[in-house]
Amino acid sequence: MKRIDDIVKDDFRELERIADDNAISVPDALEDKVRDALLSTAIRNERRRGNRAGKGLAVLAPFAVAAALGLVIWTRPPKLQDTFDDPALAYAQLEETFTYISNQISRGLDIADEAAPAINKPAETLKKTLKK
Amino acid sequence: MKKTIIVAVLALLSMSAFAQDAKSIYNKYSGQEGVTGVYISGSMFKMMGEMPEIPLGEDGTDLTPYIKAMDGFYLLNAPHNDAMVKDAENLVKSGKYEMMMEVTDEGDHVRIFTSKKGNMITGFLILVDDSSEYLFICMDGQISEEDFQKLIAEAMKNA
């Protein structure tokens, strides 16, 4: 059987003579075997490429997580300081605030009270009409 | 590997959780020029609650029975500030608060909101907007509705 090195050295006429020689038989299913070999090589190459990409991402992923955590910590708002050191002063502020809130609520209730006659008027008119 | 990337994305997305709450609004504006800010922490509330004698003054209100359960008090008072108004509105729109009362009178627009968990009031927000000033007051804590009503009634008695 000829070796590839020998086939390469042969000239074109010698190769044509070999091709025309019917005594030399081609192994059965050679074409299928060649196709299978090419396919498995292609698959192997594709897997190698995927593994390389996966390894690259695996190396980068911890850095991405560290960067994300760093960003979260960096943007976290600072701890607040009490405005007052003295609880009595804080209490005075709180009392003033609640007084203000209660004034606003009273104001709202007063306005609602003023509106009550106007709200009741249609009901009274209706009552008078129904009585007739 | 995919899980690692998902964790990183979730960490970044969680930054949006810092967006709008009273603490972040207070942090954003309290140091600005022209803004008056007052913050009272949960620790200070506990200290107030343990004070043996509260200097009530003539028409003072005794708030000590109710304030021990408070976690934070945030007050901002500033000349009318569109950005602060927008942030406060976003806080209201977040769905945490429901409106308790709204009063518009003599150019003042006052809104009072509460947030609740069952029978407990967990937050109290008051926004006052007049043409020249904006007031933002927020209180966090755990106070029963009944105690909250007593607190307001006590303050109204002496107002």
Side-chain angles (χ1 to χ4, degrees), chain A residues 46-68:
Chain A
E46 201 56 45
R47 277 199 191 135
R48 272 198 215 119
R49 216 177 294 138
N51 284 345
R52 266 185 243 128
K55 279 180 189 164
L57 279 171
V59 166
L60 287 174
F63 291 104
V65 171

Side-chain angles (χ1 to χ4, degrees), chain A residues 61 65 71-72 77-78 80-84 87 90-91 94-95 97-98 100-108 111, chain B residues 4 11 27 38-41 44-45 48 51 54 60-63 73 101 103 105 108 110 124 128 151 156 159:
Chain A
V65 171
L71 205 58
V72 165
L80 295 176
Q81 289 268 343
D82 272 285
T83 304
F84 304 104
Y91 186 90
L94 203 62
E95 196 182 3
T97 304
F98 272 105
Y100 177 81
I101 292 167
S102 65
N103 284 342
Q104 296 299 331
I105 292 174
S106 294
R107 197 173 160 198
I111 293 171
Chain B
T4 315
N27 253 324
V38 174
Y39 168 65
I40 302 173
S41 67
M44 185 58 77
F45 275 115
M48 273 193 265
M51 280 167 64
I54 302 291
T61 307
D62 187 5
L63 305 169
F73 172 92
M101 196 176 85
V103 179
D105 184 39
D108 284 354
V110 180
F124 181 81
V128 182
L151 182 66
M156 283 171 79

Side-chain angles (χ1 to χ4, degrees), chain B residues 22-82:
Chain B
K23 194 172 178 179
S24 64
I25 293 174
Y26 181 84
N27 253 324
K28 189 174 173 184
Y29 294 101
S30 60
Q32 289 184 5
E33 201 181 316
V35 178
T36 304
V38 174
Y39 168 65
I40 302 173
S41 67
S43 312
M44 185 58 77
F45 275 115
K46 285 188 175 66
M47 284 167 68
M48 273 193 265
E50 284 156 15
M51 280 167 64
E53 271 179 36
I54 302 291
L56 293 175
E58 265 186 39
D59 299 320
T61 307
D62 187 5
L63 305 169
T64 48
Y66 316 107
I67 60 174
K68 283 183 193 175
M70 291 198 183
D71 294 331
F73 172 92
Y74 311 88
L75 183 150
L76 291 167
N77 189 7
H80 196 88
N81 181 328
D82 286 342

